[in-house]
Amino acid sequence: GAGVSQSPRYKVAKRGQDVALRCDPISGHVSLFWYQQALGQGPEFLTYFQNEAQLDKSGLPSDRFFAERPEGSVSTLKIQRTQQEDSAVYLCASSYRTSGARDTQYFGPGTRLTVL
Amino acid sequence: QQQVKQSPQSLIVQKGGISIINCAYENTAFDYFPWYQQFPGKGPALLIAIRPDVSEKKEGRFTISFNKSAKQFSLHIMDSQPGDSATYFCAASRRTDKLIFGTGTRLQVFP
């Protein structure tokens, strides 16, 4: 079966542009996570969805970052007015069960965002 | 404290040798400790995970050792192979499943 897919794989934006990053989780997975991975660093949590409900957005670095999962499957991470410090790989992960089950998170390949 | 500290930053091992990566945490509420392997251009993939009620877990050539009192855990890769060359991340989480990652260890295994 297909794993987590993300698109686009690479995105170059000029400073100030808005970008939208898409995540297609594994079919049937309830939980969906977004992480940001700076070069040479570990992934850092951004936000978490259980079905369509955004239960934790404590990691979003500013109000320029917005995520949604309207139908409980595909998710979009939107960054408005991009800044150079937003340059990173954005990883999406999904897991089958709900929070608390310590279920394996399966990661997508990420979207590498470069802001010029 | 939510930090997970990982060392070393990089590791070079001869083929057949043992690779050891260490992690330490502060938050005693963490109850799940996975290790992820990441190849260039790929997302992290779960390698092995442990819960704090167990002191050791082994899967093939990979072993996690867990020391609850010291708040430390480590990954041992036995008989290291060139195909193991990758970046390894330890992580920790509480019941919310949000993973807190270490900074990563770049492992290079030479033939």
Side-chain angles (χ1 to χ4, degrees):
Chain A
V4 177
S5 61
Q6 294 185 245
S7 61
R9 291 294 316 277
Y10 304 91
K11 177 69 178 177
V12 178
K14 292 182 179 178
R15 195 168 65 126
Q17 282 185 332
D18 298 349
V19 298
L21 313 180
R22 177 188 170 106
C23 172
D24 282 85
I26 294 172
S27 178
H29 277 198
V30 170
S31 297
L32 186 145
F33 303 80
W34 283 99
Y35 293 86
Q36 180 190 59
Q37 186 174 24
L39 188 64
Q41 299 296 314
E44 292 193 359
F45 170 78
L46 293 176
T47 187
Y48 162 66
F49 290 86
Q50 182 176 310
N51 294 308
E52 69 278 3
Q54 189 175 19
L55 299 186
D56 187 348
K57 53 182 181 179
S58 62
L60 296 176
S62 76
D63 58 7
R64 297 185 295 105
F65 287 71
F66 172 76
E68 60 183 4
R69 193 186 185 197
E71 297 178 356
S73 56
V74 171
S75 177
T76 304
L77 176 67
K78 298 179 180 178
I79 309 173
Q80 297 178 323
R81 304 181 303 281
T82 53
Q83 303 295 314
Q84 285 189 320
E85 61 262 29
D86 300 335
S87 296
V89 174
Y90 291 84
L91 294 164
C92 175
S94 70
S95 65
Y96 179 64
R97 286 178 287 186
T98 58
S99 170
R102 291 185 292 274
D103 201 8
T104 300
Q105 290 186 29
Y106 296 89
F107 282 81
T111 294
R112 180 177 296 277
L113 173 64
T114 303
V115 182
L116 303 177
Chain B
Q1 268 290 1
Q2 294 280 11
Q3 257 188 327
V4 175
K5 296 182 180 179
Q6 182 172 348
S7 63
Q9 188 174 357
S10 64
L11 184 59
I12 299 174
V13 173
Q14 204 80 26
K15 179 183 176 182
I18 302 173
S19 304
I20 302 173
I21 305 171
N22 301 297
C23 282
Y25 63 97
E26 290 294 326
N27 191 339
T28 55
F30 288 145
D31 62 359
Y32 176 64
F33 302 89
W35 284 90
Y36 277 81
Q37 179 188 57
Q38 186 176 30
F39 293 102
K42 306 289 186 183
L46 179 67
L47 200 58
I48 186 172
I50 198 168
R51 293 170 60 174
D53 53 347
V54 176
S55 62
E56 186 175 282
K57 183 175 181 180
K58 183 176 180 179
E59 289 184 0
R61 297 184 294 109
F62 302 93
T63 300
I64 299 180
S65 297
F66 186 84
N67 186 330
K68 187 174 181 178
S69 60
K71 292 185 286 186
Q72 295 176 347
F73 58 111
S74 61
L75 175 69
H76 295 231
I77 305 174
M78 311 299 288
D79 188 26
S80 299
Q81 299 297 312
D84 297 331
S85 297
T87 300
Y88 293 80
F89 294 96
C90 61
S93 74
R94 300 185 301 169
R95 295 177 186 220
T96 57
D97 280 343
K98 172 175 67 179
L99 290 170
I100 309 299
F101 284 88
T103 50
T105 296
R106 185 183 176 195
L107 172 65
Q108 297 176 76
V109 181
F110 285 94

